[in-house]
Amino acid sequence: EYLASSPARRVRVRRLLDVAIWHHPEPRTVLDVGAGIGLAVSEAPARGLRAEGVEPSIWCVETAARVNGVKLLCGTLEDCSARLGTYDLVLLVDVIEHTEAPLRLMEKAAEKLAINGRMVIVTPDIGSLAARLMGRRWWHHRVAHVCYFNRASMRRALRICGLEVLRDIPSGWRLPVP
């Protein structure tokens, strides 16, 4: 299912990269944390970016190489930190909700930011209208999601990590036209 959703995910990651680049006028490097099957890493060169990614899933790392032709480091950001440099852009897209220590992950990711670097964080909003209306049936209530944020708690978490919000926009999904 994850692989089958790649076309929609690719459209989404293109938009996220474009938004990130708009906020950092001359980025050269990007790090994708929780890179999945390497969609952001594979899309970044078309935007003039040198990209690296880390991903703890062996299946995802192997699939990234086989399907998208990109090499990812296998492990967590903490595992791979010594092999990574600093980056103009650091992406945490649909990853912090999977960790029991989201603030630690954000702090580690912030350590990888170059001077004037930007971080893009995408995570489900537990305070969204859809979440409130759907309650327990909300599609983001799943076993793999172990923590949630709303806009206020995310801002608080970012402040604790020494980060500030430059722009807060709903990520949403954009589907490719067949």
Side-chain angles (χ1 to χ4, degrees):
E1 289 180 17
Y2 187 81
L3 192 55
S5 68
S6 289
R9 291 177 186 280
R10 188 173 295 280
V11 169
R12 184 176 185 226
V13 82
R14 286 176 182 155
R15 180 168 188 281
L16 290 171
L17 284 169
D18 291 342
V19 168
I21 289 167
W22 190 82
H23 286 290
H24 191 302
E26 295 185 15
R28 295 181 321 236
T29 57
V30 61
L31 173 64
D32 190 12
V33 178
I37 59 171
L39 295 174
V41 175
S42 70
E43 289 293 331
R47 286 155 178 78
L49 299 170
R50 182 180 57 80
E52 294 186 285
V54 297
E55 170 56 49
S57 164
I58 294 169
W59 178 85
C60 283
V61 170
E62 291 172 351
T63 302
R66 187 179 75 253
V67 174
N68 292 314
V70 295
K71 182 180 179 187
L72 305 176
L73 296 175
C74 191
T76 64
L77 178 58
E78 199 161 354
D79 295 337
C80 300
S81 187
R83 294 185 282 169
L84 298 167
T86 58
Y87 303 85
D88 299 316
L89 303 171
V90 174
L91 309 179
L92 295 175
V93 178
D94 296 328
V95 68
I96 62 172
E97 64 273 14
H98 294 276
T99 179
E100 294 176 2
L103 271 63
R104 182 170 173 81
L105 176 59
M106 286 188 265
E107 288 169 342
K108 289 292 181 189
E111 290 173 7
K112 295 299 169 188
L113 286 172
I115 294 171
N116 295 319
R118 304 289 190 260
M119 188 181 310
V120 174
I121 299 175
V122 178
T123 190
D125 179 359
I126 193 96
S128 69
L129 180 61
R132 291 179 309 197
L133 289 175
M134 296 186 76
R136 290 182 174 186
R137 293 175 297 150
W138 185 46
W139 53 88
H140 287 296
H141 284 303
R142 45 180 95 156
V143 175
H145 292 181
V146 297
C147 70
Y148 296 94
F149 291 89
N150 61 29
R151 286 185 163 171
S153 63
M154 177 55 73
R155 285 180 181 277
R156 193 168 35 253
L158 292 168
R159 263 193 318 275
I160 290 168
C161 295
L163 299 166
E164 65 179 279
V165 175
L166 294 179
R167 187 169 180 200
D168 181 356
I169 58 172
S171 168
W173 282 91
R174 277 133 183 98
L175 303 173
V177 176

